[in-house]
Amino acid sequence: MEFSNRNVQPQAASPGAHTTATGSSSGGNSIGTIKKNRSDDEGKWTRIGLVVLAAAIAILLIFLIIFITKAGSSADEDKYVDSKKLQAVFLNTGQVYFGNIKTLNSKYFVVSNIYYLQTSGGNAASGGTNTNTNVSLVKLGCELHKPDDQMVINRAQVTFWENLHDNGQVAKAVVAFEKQNPQGQNCADQSSSASTNSTNNVQKAGNNNGSSTTPSTTNGGGSTTTPNTPAKP
């Protein structure tokens, strides 16, 4: 019995078990590394996608703002300006300017070759109720402050504007003035002519017991006034 027990040797641990355990540990680390790299890649592409999306939205908003701005402005209004005709620009103050619109946008109008209407009236004759009223078309430039023949008008002050026909009174008066003053208006002549017409109008107002008012067109360089027709007794 004792002999048999001595022959029994303890068995060494199987090397395969150690290898298997080591292999299992190494394989687990590899899988964890792969998952971590994959997660990092996904996070990276997600961030790139968000940046691209934000940039696309920003570009879209910029184009939208530009479109709205143009739609709300007078970008297309200038196509209605007929460069071969005069334009009338009506302001919210009641003043009207005639000339050529050179620039038109949402902020301002630029007008050149400017004319405007001027009304003058004499005092009523003693014992009478009628007045002598004259309407004249004046060329800008000979006023006290001597402005250039160009005006920049605030867009907010313009109520509306329109093109003028060539056969209208204003257009005809402008053509006549340009023919009479090929070198441009002479402010000295205009001043003396206006003074003479003013004196004549006062005398007519005093002499006429009753008169009918006849509008007249006065050109800046050499004023011509249509006299009023005395009323029949």
Side-chain angles (χ1 to χ4, degrees):
M1 294 297 292
E2 295 176 359
F3 180 77
S4 60
N5 290 334
R6 292 175 181 175
N7 290 331
V8 177
Q9 302 291 331
Q11 294 181 353
S14 174
H18 178 72
T19 304
T20 302
T22 304
S24 298
S25 177
S26 176
N29 291 335
S30 299
I31 293 172
T33 302
I34 293 172
K35 288 183 177 179
K36 182 179 180 182
N37 292 337
R38 183 178 298 173
S39 177
D40 291 342
D41 290 341
E42 290 178 354
K44 179 180 178 181
W45 285 110
T46 301
R47 289 192 296 272
I48 293 175
L50 291 175
V51 171
V52 172
L53 180 61
I57 293 174
I59 293 173
L60 181 61
L61 288 175
I62 292 173
F63 278 106
L64 184 61
I65 292 172
I66 293 174
F67 175 78
I68 293 175
T69 302
K70 287 187 176 181
S73 67
S74 306
D76 295 333
E77 188 177 352
D78 58 353
K79 69 181 181 181
Y80 296 104
V81 178
D82 190 342
S83 59
K84 297 180 180 179
K85 297 181 179 180
L86 290 171
Q87 285 78 46
V89 180
F90 294 80
L91 307 186
N92 54 20
T93 59
Q95 180 68 53
V96 185
Y97 290 105
F98 306 98
N100 300 111
I101 296 177
K102 297 298 183 181
T103 303
L104 187 160
N105 55 45
S106 60
K107 295 182 179 180
Y108 56 84
F109 278 57
V110 177
V111 185
S112 63
N113 189 30
I114 302 167
Y115 297 80
Y116 59 92
L117 295 176
Q118 189 175 69
T119 302
S120 61
N123 295 326
S126 57
T129 58
N130 295 319
T131 60
N132 184 7
T133 303
N134 296 297
V135 178
S136 58
L137 187 67
V138 180
K139 182 75 172 70
L140 183 72
C142 289
E143 290 75 14
L144 182 63
H145 57 294
K146 300 294 182 185
D148 289 336
D149 193 11
Q150 178 173 281
M151 186 176 293
V152 181
I153 304 174
N154 190 331
R155 185 65 173 84
Q157 293 183 324
V158 179
T159 56
F160 68 96
W161 65 273
E162 57 192 6
N163 294 304
L164 302 182
H165 285 293
D166 294 336
N167 58 355
Q169 257 191 308
V170 172
K172 288 181 178 179
V174 170
V175 171
F177 169 78
E178 291 176 347
K179 288 182 178 179
Q180 294 173 3
N181 302 272
Q183 304 299 324
Q185 67 177 335
N186 189 322
C187 294
D189 291 347
Q190 177 180 348
S191 185
S192 61
S193 178
S195 178
T196 302
N197 286 333
S198 178
T199 303
N200 292 337
N201 290 337
V202 172
Q203 291 175 349
K204 290 176 183 177
N207 294 331
N208 293 333
N209 291 328
S211 62
S212 59
T213 302
T214 304
S216 63
T217 303
T218 303
N219 297 326
S223 300
T224 57
T225 305
T226 302
N228 293 327
T229 303
K232 293 181 180 180

